[in-house]
């Protein structure tokens, strides 16, 4: 017999802690629904992001994902929990047989279906190449990352699902007013956006003047929303995937 529970107000029972996470992160259940819970009280202070706002940015990222209509981010919301108010997100069971991002020997890069990001050397000084799949799902995620200014798109933050869908998670480091884009999804750099991608950007930009903007106003500052609007306009105007810019490293550390 299954147990139905309201994900907003239902009892959140914790089952484990994800100890590899930088901030306090737990898994648990609301009824039979498995979730991830990140309490605001467990957020580590950062020099370049406001304290106590990472959970809000995770929810803002979900709302933008919904406006795009691409289902990039699993359902995410704010609610109370055992350690206070925090972010709750639906847990996703990944397909262990699939890899959307990989590090391979440089002479083993597939001829089709993948994009090379950069070349380097491993700990034994062997040439290796960071690659990601050339798929619609990841292209959409790359567009999403540009406009939310994702500073932490690691390979491990891309969840490959059995049906071919790819979810993106861990969006606390987003929506900064300064350029912060750090991602492993640089493989389409300089490529033109498709009509479908441009139409989706237009949809989000229009929604920013309505329901999306109203919802984001409770999660982000006016300056952050203004910077988000500017990124949408800039990407729409240029209509190509950007190249790395500025003095920041273009990829996160670690990569996975």
């Amino acid at each position: 017999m299954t147990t139905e529970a309201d994900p907003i107000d239902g009892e959140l029972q914790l089952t484990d802690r994800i100890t590899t996470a930088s901030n306090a992160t737990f898994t648990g259940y609301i009824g039979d629904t498995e979730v991830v819970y990140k309490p605001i009280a467990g957020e580590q202070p950062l020099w370049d992001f406001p304290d106590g706002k990472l959970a809000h940015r995770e929810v803002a990222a979900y709302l933008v994902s919904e406006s795009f209509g691409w289902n990039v981010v699993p359902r995410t919301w704010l609610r109370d929990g055992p350690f206070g108010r925090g972010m709750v997100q639906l847990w996703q069971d990944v397909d262990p047989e699939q890899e959307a991002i990989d590090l391979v020997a440089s002479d083993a890069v597939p001829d089709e279906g993948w994009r090379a990001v950069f070349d380097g050397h491993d700990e034994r000084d062997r040439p290796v190449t960071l690659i990601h799949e050339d798929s619609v799902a990841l292209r959409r995620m790359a567009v999403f990352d540009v406009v939310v200014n994702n500073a932490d798109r690691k390979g491990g933050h891309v969840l490959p699902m059995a049906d071919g869908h790819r979810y993106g998670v861990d969006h606390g480091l987003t929506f900064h007013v300064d350029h912060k884009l750090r991602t492993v999804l640089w493989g389409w750099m300089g490529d033109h956006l498709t009509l479908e991608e441009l139409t989706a950007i237009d949809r989000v930009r229009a929604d920013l003047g309505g329901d999306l903007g109203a919802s984001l106003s409770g999660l982000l500052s006016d300056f952050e929303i203004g910077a988000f609007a500017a990124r949408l306009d800039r990407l729409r105007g240029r209509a190509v995937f950007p190249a790395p810019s500025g003095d920041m490293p273009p990829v996160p550390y670690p990569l996975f």
Side-chain angles (χ1 to χ4, degrees), residues 23-26 37-43 55 82-87:
N23 301 292
T25 305
F26 302 87
Y37 164 59
K38 298 181 182 180
I40 294 172
E43 296 178 3
F83 297 108
R85 193 160 181 80
M87 180 224 80

Side-chain angles (χ1 to χ4, degrees), residues 100-101 113-117 131-146 153 158 166 183-194 197 235 239-244:
I101 293 97
W114 293 82
R115 294 278 182 134
V117 179
I131 62 175
H132 62 69
E133 64 183 17
D134 188 2
S135 67
V136 171
L138 276 199
R139 276 185 66 106
R140 290 172 171 179
M141 192 179 298
V143 172
F144 168 84
D145 282 345
V146 171
R153 177 61 73 203
V158 178
R166 274 70 178 113
T183 175
V184 295
L185 302 180
W186 287 112
W188 296 285
M189 180 176 60
D191 284 10
H192 288 275
L193 299 180
T194 66
E197 290 160 350
L235 185 59
V240 297
F241 283 96

Side-chain angles (χ1 to χ4, degrees), residues 91-105:
W91 176 265
Q92 305 298 321
D93 288 317
V94 302
D95 182 356
E97 301 300 317
Q98 297 190 46
E99 294 286 351
I101 293 97
D102 205 356
L103 195 64
V104 301

Side-chain angles (χ1 to χ4, degrees), residues 41-181:
E43 296 178 3
Q44 298 297 317
L46 298 169
W47 69 270
D48 55 346
F49 281 83
D51 293 346
K53 292 294 184 179
L54 301 186
H56 295 73
R57 295 170 192 278
E58 295 241 29
V59 176
Y62 166 71
L63 294 176
V64 172
S65 168
E66 288 295 283
S67 182
F68 268 114
W70 290 340
N71 198 26
V72 172
V73 183
R75 184 182 177 188
T76 310
W77 64 101
L78 287 173
R79 57 155 288 167
D80 291 331
F83 297 108
R85 193 160 181 80
M87 180 224 80
V88 174
Q89 186 175 82
L90 295 183
W91 176 265
Q92 305 298 321
D93 288 317
V94 302
D95 182 356
E97 301 300 317
Q98 297 190 46
E99 294 286 351
I101 293 97
D102 205 356
L103 195 64
V104 301
S106 294
D107 60 1
V109 176
D111 293 330
E112 296 182 353
W114 293 82
R115 294 278 182 134
V117 179
F118 68 81
D119 298 320
H121 290 82
D122 65 10
E123 68 280 358
R124 297 174 62 182
D125 204 34
R126 296 173 299 190
V128 293
T129 302
L130 180 69
I131 62 175
H132 62 69
E133 64 183 17
D134 188 2
S135 67
V136 171
L138 276 199
R139 276 185 66 106
R140 290 172 171 179
M141 192 179 298
V143 172
F144 168 84
D145 282 345
V146 171
V147 299
V148 302
N149 200 15
N150 191 354
D152 198 30
R153 177 61 73 203
K154 295 181 174 70
H157 294 172
V158 178
L159 307 185
M161 310 307 292
D163 63 358
H165 186 67
R166 274 70 178 113
Y167 279 114
V169 296
D170 286 314
H171 296 113
L173 301 186
T174 50
F175 296 103
H176 202 286
V177 296
D178 297 327
H179 175 72
K180 295 280 186 180
L181 184 61

